[in-house]
């Protein structure tokens, strides 16, 4: 039997009625002849409630206990989904992470899946079980303790199962009906994409389009898992949603696939740093140790042996970043005159694999923004992406202008 | 280090504040030099919520999924308790049933503990852990699936750990401050007992005094675990609560230790049954198969080869019992003229190991009830117990009169 992986997020299983609704969707795939692995999240609100308990109990909590506590929401959904399927005469059973087992690293609260031995579940499929309902987001460490994969980790669970079981496809059911050229709440011309390349999705996911956890896309790309994003709240055909796939599977596409944004960015500049080999390591080593997600990095031209070093990070990490920088200064490792912090910037990015073969995409972007009177503060580029930092108040305008200029509303 | 087992029920861990409160109690025992095994229930209300989900999802649910779902409440409390102890600088970690492992039978939803290998937890004690917080009520079957022990099962978990680890004592913290001579809500003269024998507690527990799960008392008796029942809502000394122990440990005691009652009893009589060998088996076999908890059984004197067969069971099982009896009649196995059902009876029992050596206790009980004009419908006796069925409206009166007559208010 071909195997299909179907993943349902928290809003898709928020009530017993919704569980029944998505169970019917699973039944449709079983009727088509698939053996199905269903990955479920906790009923929406449950994980937040449990995280709240942990935070209220302990400020610097033991991540091993955090994992043991917050993983329980998925176990409840998995059992309820199995019962619901059984009620519909679909042979099903639930699996908790340790039962599969989903073997992970020991990095509690942000563990990575290392191996999913398929033997146990395959044997049950052979014995006539049609659906394995697996609690997402969790696994077991080499020490036999429960681990979790970080928020949104159930997407990664789903892709990892699809890879381990060589599934025909991995369908991610969520509360949106696919991946859009940009956020429809900001730009009403946003258009749903039928297909998007892994590389593009990866850039969009990491740029703040929160449809899929970044790690799940990386994993899908590495193991060539066909990933489909679709809504659990609508009747679905086989062509619904957005297929995330290899770029060879996309016949014709726009040069730019989408415009992404990230609202809560901050720009920090170390002013007049004494320029010598190793200064980047001296700055970004301690920042990494402090858990700062440094995104863009710009080093200005050196004058008189001194340079400015600029980087961006999420606004809620600014305080921690400042503390780390004070530490660097105090250590005497680095000499600089001061730190400029701008907390009112946003990041806008255009993404598309077509950029590889089309020149002039970046300059067109800059021209569009310039025509709107938007000043660019920082630029970074990759093979398939151009990102800029701009003043946050221009964010919506920038997204809309770029969407128009690259004609993303047209297929 | 001597080992102490402490068990906290659902109301004792109902909120984060209460968890902090009982964690302090655990800290006091650690300070005395104990290695402590804490057994926790789910936060009160949680298990009922999960059972509600199951019942709403499926009428004839798969007990394996039921167990996977309802066991999650205890996992949350265990993690939170471990975090709370860590906050108080007490080295602690949580254990789920399968991690210990608590090995049980495969009888899902009412599994029995078969073995608790102490090696894993003992090793952690040796490494410096002071408290092992164990999720109560749950275990793992030989098939690697999660099992539960039935409602109130955390008491049994606690006693089983005390036996497996040869604990000095097993303290059951609950919302009452001990075992009483009778229910204080019914009889204001009820007195807390300092000590009670296992056999007496067993009779009281099975007779409806819901302080301890019956099975936990059986287990404590078999393994000679010193069991103490005390309140988690009061400051406690070493002598607080009630000690449930071997009768040799009780120097002097009243002939009657307590008066128990069970409100929701029904009396069913099969009228004019053709009397022949095997009729009891023909009746009670099918009733047992239907899951009816038959309690008292009375067979009247046979006349003309026919007899009346009377038994009692909980009122909420009457409908099922009737159906089973119809089945017996339809099968032609048994001939009887009809079924009388009396759903307005209650059971009153006096319990005491002193009865073994004192004659006239039963007749004194009958005289007391007779003096109050209370008619006795059914009588059964054991070595240390006399039980009667009476009209439910006389229940409180009967309890109070017996408490007075046997002077239970006096130590």
């Amino acid at each position: 039997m071909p195997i299909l992986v179907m993943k349902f997020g928290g809003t898709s299983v928020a009530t017993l009625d919704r569980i029944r609704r998505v169970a019917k969707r699973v039944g449709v795939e079983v009727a088509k002849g698939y053996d199905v692995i269903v990955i479920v999240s906790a009923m929406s609100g449950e994980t937040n409630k449990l995280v709240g308990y942990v935070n209220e109990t302990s400020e610097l909590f033991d991540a091993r206990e955090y994992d043991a506590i917050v993983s329980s929401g998925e176990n409840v959904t998995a059992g309820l989904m199995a019962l619901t399927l059984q009620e519909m005469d679909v042979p099903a059973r639930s699996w908790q992470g340790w039962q599969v087992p989903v073997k992970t690293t020991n990095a509690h609260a942000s563990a990575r899946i290392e191996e999913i031995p398929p033997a146990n579940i395959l044997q049950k499929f052979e014995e006539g079980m049609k659906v394995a309902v697996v609690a997402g987001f969790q696994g077991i460490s080499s020490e036999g303790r429960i681990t979790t994969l970080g928020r949104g980790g159930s997407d990664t669970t789903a892709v990892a199962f699809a890879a381990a079981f060589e599934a025909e496809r991995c369908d991610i059911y969520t509360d949106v009906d696919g991946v859009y050229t940009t956020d429809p709440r900001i730009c009403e011309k946003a258009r749903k994409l039928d297909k998007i390349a892994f590389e593009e999705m990866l850039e969009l996911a990491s740029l703040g389009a929160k449809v899929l956890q970044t790690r799940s896309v990386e994993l899908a790309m590495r193991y060539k898992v066909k990933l489909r994003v679709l809504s659990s709240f609508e009747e679905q055909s086989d062509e619904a949603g957005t297929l995330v796939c290899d770029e060879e599977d996309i016949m014709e596409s726009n040069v730019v696939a989408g415009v992404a944004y990230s609202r809560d960015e901050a720009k920090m500049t170390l002013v007049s740093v004494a320029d010598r080999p190793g200064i980047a390591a001296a700055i970004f080593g301690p920042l990494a140790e402090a858990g700062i997600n440094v995104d863009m990095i710009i080093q200005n031209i050196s004058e008189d042996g001194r340079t400015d070093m600029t980087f961006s990070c999420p606004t809620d990490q600014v305080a921690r970043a400042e503390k780390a920088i004070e530490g660097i200064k105090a250590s005497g490792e680095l000499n600089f005159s001061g730190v400029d912090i701008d907390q009112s910037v946003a990041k806008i990015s255009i993404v598309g694999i077509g950029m590889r073969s089309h020149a002039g995409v970046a300059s067109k972007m800059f021209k569009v923004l310039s025509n709107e009177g938007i000043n660019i503060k920082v630029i970074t580029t990759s093979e398939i992406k151009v990102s800029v930092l701009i003043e946050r108040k221009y964010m919506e305008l920038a997204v809309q202008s770029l969407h128009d200029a690259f004609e993303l509303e047209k297929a």
Side-chain angles (χ1 to χ4, degrees), chain A:
Chain A
M1 294 280 189
I3 289 177
L4 192 68
V5 173
M6 304 172 77
K7 183 258 171 178
F8 297 99
T11 54
S12 310
V13 294
T15 64
L16 298 183
D17 272 344
R18 289 194 182 169
I19 291 176
R20 269 189 284 273
R21 182 170 182 158
V22 298
K24 276 184 202 155
R25 198 51 225 141
V26 175
V28 169
E29 301 295 351
V30 170
K32 285 183 196 161
Y34 286 107
D35 283 343
V36 179
I37 298 172
V38 172
I39 311 292
V40 288
S41 298
M43 295 164 90
S44 63
E46 280 301 309
T47 304
N48 284 340
K49 184 188 83 179
L50 296 170
V51 170
Y53 283 162
V54 171
N55 286 327
E56 207 181 315
T57 300
S58 177
E59 207 170 333
L60 294 164
F61 51 77
D62 178 348
R64 295 166 299 190
E65 300 300 343
Y66 169 92
D67 282 353
I69 293 165
V70 302
S71 58
S72 72
E74 278 72 13
N75 294 343
V76 172
T77 323
L80 291 173
M81 178 69 82
L83 283 179
T84 306
L85 287 162
Q86 288 175 5
E87 278 291 293
M88 295 161 47
D89 290 326
V90 177
R93 74 157 270 197
S94 71
W95 301 81
Q96 299 187 4
W98 59 273
Q99 289 177 315
V100 175
V102 178
K103 297 183 183 178
T104 74
T105 61
N106 293 339
H108 283 277
S110 60
R112 286 177 170 266
I113 295 175
E114 294 194 317
E115 195 197 350
I116 302 175
N120 290 336
I121 287 178
L122 285 179
Q123 191 193 324
K124 292 290 168 190
F125 278 142
E126 271 167 34
E127 292 170 7
M129 179 185 70
K130 299 306 296 174
V131 182
V133 186
V134 177
F137 172 62
Q138 58 177 252
I140 181 171
S141 74
S142 60
E143 287 163 4
R145 300 205 64 173
I146 293 168
T147 53
T148 65
L149 311 179
R151 294 308 290 265
S154 291
D155 290 339
T156 302
T157 305
V159 173
F161 270 84
F165 286 81
E166 296 176 357
E168 193 170 297
R169 207 175 58 237
C170 179
D171 285 350
I172 307 282
Y173 284 83
T174 178
D175 48 3
V176 297
D177 64 350
V179 180
Y180 278 73
T181 49
T182 194
D183 186 343
R185 288 168 303 181
I186 282 192
C187 174
E188 59 183 17
K189 292 183 190 164
R191 176 177 57 85
K192 184 174 77 65
L193 295 162
D194 292 330
K195 291 183 176 183
I196 187 168
F198 287 127
E199 291 86 344
E200 292 170 335
M201 189 65 221
L202 207 49
E203 293 287 4
L204 290 173
S206 63
L207 290 172
K210 286 169 186 166
V211 182
L212 288 172
Q213 201 197 24
T214 310
R215 198 144 29 108
S216 70
V217 183
E218 283 172 13
L219 210 58
M221 182 161 75
R222 185 169 349 137
Y223 291 100
K224 301 212 179 281
V225 171
K226 273 193 190 170
L227 198 57
R228 194 165 61 134
V229 177
L230 67 177
S231 166
S232 53
F233 298 101
E234 290 167 22
E235 288 300 316
Q236 297 296 5
S237 70
D238 275 359
E239 281 73 42
T242 299
L243 191 70
V244 190
C245 56
D246 249 12
E247 59 182 283
E248 293 95 74
D249 297 335
I250 302 176
M251 292 294 286
E252 196 74 58
S253 69
N254 290 341
V255 175
V256 173
V259 181
Y261 66 89
S262 175
R263 188 187 302 268
D264 297 315
E265 297 286 321
K267 178 168 85 75
M268 301 183 75
T269 302
L270 273 65
V271 182
S272 190
V273 183
D275 196 6
R276 58 168 177 77
I279 59 162
I283 296 169
F284 297 106
L287 285 172
E289 274 164 37
I292 310 300
N293 295 318
V294 170
D295 179 19
M296 303 162 108
I297 298 177
I298 306 290
Q299 184 175 357
N300 285 8
I301 294 157
S302 181
E303 276 176 34
D304 306 327
R306 303 195 82 87
T307 183
D308 291 345
M309 187 70 93
T310 298
F311 64 91
S312 69
C313 70
T315 47
D316 59 5
Q317 300 184 353
V318 167
R320 251 193 300 157
E322 273 191 275
K323 209 174 154 199
I325 289 169
E326 277 167 30
I328 299 169
K329 183 137 200 178
S331 76
E333 286 269 310
L334 208 68
N335 185 280
F336 54 92
S337 67
V339 184
D340 277 353
I341 302 176
D342 182 352
Q343 299 214 47
S344 64
V345 292
K347 184 169 64 169
I348 310 289
S349 308
I350 56 172
V351 173
I353 48 175
M355 288 188 205
R356 289 204 197 105
S357 47
H358 283 76
V361 175
S363 68
K364 181 170 176 184
M365 179 186 194
F366 305 151
K367 198 177 294 172
V368 170
L369 295 176
S370 159
N371 286 346
E372 298 290 347
I374 301 170
N375 188 34
I376 297 172
K377 295 171 175 249
V378 174
I379 301 169
T380 59
T381 59
S382 80
E383 229 189 340
I384 64 164
K385 178 192 72 171
V386 184
S387 297
V388 296
L389 281 191
I390 60 171
E391 262 190 277
R392 188 173 299 136
K393 65 180 179 187
Y394 295 124
M395 192 183 78
E396 280 87 349
L397 175 62
V399 170
Q400 289 156 4
S401 314
L402 291 166
H403 200 275
D404 282 348
F406 288 102
E407 300 185 312
L408 299 188
E409 74 282 5
K410 295 182 189 163

